[in-house]
């Protein structure tokens, strides 16, 4: 082998919190509303125009004319408006390729407020303090942002290591800036590290086949047995959230049908959103740290191919055929959504690749019902949610149910029963024939 290193370009992202003045925050809100309105006008133009006259040039001309005719659309920088056009056409390409649904109208209350800055040279980033930096935002001015990671600026920036743009995003905790960073890094060599199967659960977030389970220490259920939907909040925050929800319900009782929310009710809802967003950030922080450790420790990570959308569907049913155990299923759906299994798999996918490892998916059916010691499925083995007891007379193995599933997941990979997605996009199962089930060790 040659001693020369192989290099590859990587597109990274870094999100930082902005410190805006009230005037700057209002200007930022105006730009976000203008960007959303530009998307809606572009969508109306595209859907109402005959197919023979639809083109990128015609849409660009329509946007330019709209910015001249509608004065408040001018608060959005021209490059940001062009970024909306580019994003809209990419959404249609994703639809045509079968990766997403058709682009639709963006409602004010359901859309994320965001503004794109497509060119990195407009940012003019400068570090002014150990904890703070300055960034230039078009038509806003110089704004401070929280410095938590070294960025390729100044003498550290070149054509291979640079910031190519940014995106301004608003959530319940305020405005943030997400930098798009392009770097040139040595391509990691394939790692021959240990293999591990991971089962995502509710009681145990990430159960590993080698017994090195990852738990965030926040129980999924309260002492009375009900699901804890606010487990990422401390006791004081839970008490505050309860008071705010009671206050919101009281103020909402005075609201007439189809009447606009009062400022007091809207303020209460904003405070509830802030607590929810804080809990989400804590959960994502734990997942980032945990998946980083797993990607650096193991060479091959095996997970289940789960259809989480179908797993969290409501059991309410219809009027003619009502569902059963609706409340229990609702609590389970809420717990699954809180654990964010799909986000954890996404993190593991790119982190294992960056560390030279691989991530493999295996079919999910019966991984939690099959005994990892004897390979048989017997009725009554799952007496409760946390324990697995094999009812086979020749086995009798018992252990943690999530650990048992993780061992089965690793065993499916070892016998070649893996999940692959061919070029056509249709999922198939690849299996090695002639291999009998055996204990996953």
């Amino acid at each position: 082998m040659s001693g020369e290193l192989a290099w590859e370009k990587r597109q990274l992202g870094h999100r930082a919190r902005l410190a805006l003045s009230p005037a700057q925050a209002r200007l930022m809100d105006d730009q976000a509303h203008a960007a959303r309105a530009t998307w809606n006008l572009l969508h109306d133009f595209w859907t109402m125009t005959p197919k023979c006259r639809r083109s990128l040039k015609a849409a660009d001309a329509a946007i330019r004319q709209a910015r001249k005719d509608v004065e408040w659309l001018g608060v959005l920088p021209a490059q940001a408006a062009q970024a909306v056009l580019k994003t809209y056409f990419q959404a249609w390409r994703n639809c045509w390729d079968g990766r997403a649904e058709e682009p639709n109208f963006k409602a004010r209350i359901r859309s994320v407020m965001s503004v794109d800055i497509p060119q990195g040279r407009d940012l003019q980033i400068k570090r002014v303090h150990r904890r703070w930096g300055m960034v230039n935002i078009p038509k806003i001015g110089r704004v401070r942002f929280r410095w938590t990671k070294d960025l390729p600026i100044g003498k550290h920036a070149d054509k291979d290591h640079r910031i190519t743009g940014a995106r301004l995003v608003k959530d319940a905790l305020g405005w943030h800036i997400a930098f798009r960073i392009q770097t040139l890094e040595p391509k990691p060599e394939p790692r021959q590290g240990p293999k591990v199967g991971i089962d995502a659960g509710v009681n145990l977030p990430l159960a590993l086949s080698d017994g090195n389970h990852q738990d965030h220490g926040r129980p999924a259920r309260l002492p009375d047995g009900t699901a804890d939907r606010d487990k990422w909040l401390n006791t004081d925050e839970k008490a505050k959230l309860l008071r705010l929800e009671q206050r919101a319900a009281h103020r909402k009782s005075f609201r007439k049908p189809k009447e606009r929310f009062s400022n007091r009710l809207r303020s209460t809802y904003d405070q509830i959103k802030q607590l929810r967003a804080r809990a989400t950030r804590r959960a994502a922080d734990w997942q980032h740290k945990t998946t980083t450790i797993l990607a650096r420790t193991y060479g091959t990570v095996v997970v289940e191919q789960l259809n989480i959308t179908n797993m969290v569907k409501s059991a309410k049913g219809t009027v003619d055929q009502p569902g059963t155990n609706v409340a229990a299923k609702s609590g389970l759906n809420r717990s699954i959504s809180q654990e964010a299994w799909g986000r954890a798999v996404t993190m593991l996918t790119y982190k294992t690749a960056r560390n030279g490892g691989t991530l493999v998916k295996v079919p999910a059916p019966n991984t939690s019902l099959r005994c990892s010691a004897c390979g048989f499925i017997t009725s009554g083995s799952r007496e409760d949610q946390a324990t697995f007891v094999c009812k086979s007379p020749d086995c009798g193995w018992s252990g943690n149910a999530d650990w048992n599933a993780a061992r089965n997941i690793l065993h499916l990979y070892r016998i070649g029963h893996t999940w692959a997605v061919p070029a056509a996009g249709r999922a198939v199962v690849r299996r090695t024939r002639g291999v009998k089930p055996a204990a996953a060790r």
Side-chain angles (χ1 to χ4, degrees):
M1 294 180 62
S2 175
E4 298 182 358
L5 291 176
W7 296 81
E8 61 180 1
K9 288 186 178 182
R10 292 186 179 273
Q11 300 290 338
L12 308 177
H14 173 63
R15 182 165 173 165
R17 177 167 53 90
L18 293 174
L20 298 170
S21 65
Q24 290 175 333
R26 287 193 295 269
L27 291 175
M28 199 85 76
D29 291 345
D30 293 340
Q31 287 193 10
H33 290 310
R36 180 182 55 83
T38 302
W39 172 285
N40 292 335
L41 292 174
L42 182 60
H43 181 66
D44 291 339
F45 167 80
W46 184 263
T47 54
M48 292 188 297
T49 303
K51 291 184 179 181
C52 59
R53 298 177 55 185
R54 294 177 185 174
S55 65
L56 181 63
K57 182 177 180 181
D60 180 50
I63 287 181
R64 294 176 184 273
Q65 187 62 36
R67 287 171 54 82
K68 294 179 181 179
D69 298 339
V70 184
E71 182 179 358
W72 55 270
L73 288 179
V75 300
L76 184 67
Q79 293 180 349
Q82 294 297 317
V84 174
L85 175 62
K86 181 179 178 181
T87 305
Y88 183 78
F89 269 80
Q90 183 60 44
W92 273 111
R93 294 191 188 99
N94 295 337
C95 174
W96 296 330
D97 295 339
R99 297 191 299 266
E101 297 181 355
E102 293 185 3
N104 206 342
F105 180 85
K106 286 191 175 182
R108 179 176 183 139
I109 60 176
R110 294 190 303 268
S111 303
V112 178
M113 298 181 65
S114 62
V115 180
D116 197 70
I117 305 176
Q119 297 186 2
R121 65 170 181 265
D122 296 334
L123 299 174
Q124 302 176 13
I125 303 172
K126 182 179 180 181
R127 188 172 185 177
V128 296
H129 189 264
R130 182 172 64 91
R131 295 184 177 181
W132 293 96
M134 296 290 290
V135 60
N136 182 71
I137 299 177
K139 294 196 174 184
I140 300 293
R142 302 291 288 174
V143 178
R144 289 194 307 160
F145 69 93
R146 190 72 170 177
W147 190 282
T148 56
K149 180 180 179 180
D150 290 336
L151 300 173
I153 60 174
K155 61 181 181 180
H156 302 289
D158 52 33
K159 64 178 183 179
D160 295 325
H161 301 81
R162 59 193 177 94
I163 296 177
T164 59
R167 189 172 185 84
L168 307 172
V169 183
K170 185 180 183 181
D171 60 9
L173 298 177
W175 279 98
H176 297 75
I177 183 169
F179 297 103
R180 292 190 289 268
I181 305 172
Q182 176 182 301
T183 62
L184 186 65
E185 297 180 356
K187 188 176 182 179
E189 297 182 357
R191 293 180 55 199
Q192 301 298 327
K195 302 176 178 61
V196 65
I198 299 180
D199 177 68
V202 175
N203 295 321
L204 190 59
L206 295 176
L208 275 61
S209 58
D210 60 359
N212 186 22
H213 308 311
Q214 303 296 319
D215 190 4
H216 45 57
R218 299 175 183 267
R221 296 189 177 276
L222 297 172
D224 59 357
T226 59
D228 186 6
R229 62 174 183 172
D230 306 316
K231 59 186 175 184
W232 289 100
L233 300 177
N234 57 37
T235 305
D236 295 338
E237 291 170 340
K238 288 182 180 179
K240 181 180 179 181
L241 179 61
L242 179 60
R243 292 195 302 269
L244 290 173
E245 289 177 340
Q246 292 174 345
R247 186 183 304 168
H250 175 71
R251 290 176 175 173
K252 189 177 179 180
S253 63
F254 297 98
R255 177 173 171 266
K256 298 179 181 179
K258 298 183 180 181
E259 185 180 9
R260 294 188 62 183
F261 289 165
S262 65
N263 292 335
R264 290 185 178 182
L265 181 58
R266 193 179 300 276
S267 175
T268 304
Y269 282 147
D270 289 342
Q271 295 180 62
I272 294 175
K273 289 180 182 179
Q274 291 176 4
L275 288 174
R276 299 288 189 197
R278 188 179 303 173
T280 302
R281 288 181 60 184
R282 289 173 182 171
D285 179 71
W286 179 84
Q287 283 187 330
H288 269 294
K289 294 177 180 178
T290 304
T291 52
T292 299
I293 294 173
L294 296 176
R296 293 175 178 175
T297 304
Y298 300 99
T300 302
V301 178
V302 189
V303 298
E304 293 177 298
Q305 176 70 29
L306 297 175
N307 192 338
I308 303 176
T309 303
N310 292 339
M311 294 176 63
V312 297
K313 282 186 177 181
S314 175
K316 186 179 298 184
T318 62
V319 177
D320 298 332
Q321 297 180 349
T324 58
N325 297 327
V326 177
K329 184 63 169 64
S330 299
L332 178 61
N333 293 347
R334 192 179 298 114
S335 299
I336 293 175
S337 299
Q338 276 193 330
E339 293 300 336
W341 297 341
R343 185 172 60 193
V345 173
T346 301
M347 293 179 183
L348 282 171
T349 301
Y350 72 82
K351 289 183 181 181
T352 52
R354 193 174 184 184
N355 287 273
T358 56
L359 184 133
V360 183
K361 294 183 179 182
V362 298
N366 298 326
T367 54
S368 60
L369 300 177
R370 180 181 293 107
C371 178
S372 60
C374 65
F376 286 95
I377 300 176
T378 55
S379 60
S381 59
R382 293 293 299 273
E383 296 180 353
D384 54 34
Q385 187 70 20
T387 307
F388 181 93
V389 180
C390 183
K391 298 300 182 179
S392 176
D394 299 330
C395 182
W397 183 88
S398 63
N400 183 274
D402 295 329
W403 181 39
N404 175 74
R407 285 157 54 95
N408 286 327
I409 291 170
L410 180 60
H411 177 64
L412 288 175
Y413 164 73
R414 285 176 172 172
I415 66 175
H417 202 166
T418 59
W419 192 277
V421 179
R426 184 177 179 182
V428 298
V429 176
R430 292 178 179 171
R431 179 172 55 186
T432 302
R433 296 182 179 179
V435 182
K436 296 181 179 180
R441 295 182 176 89

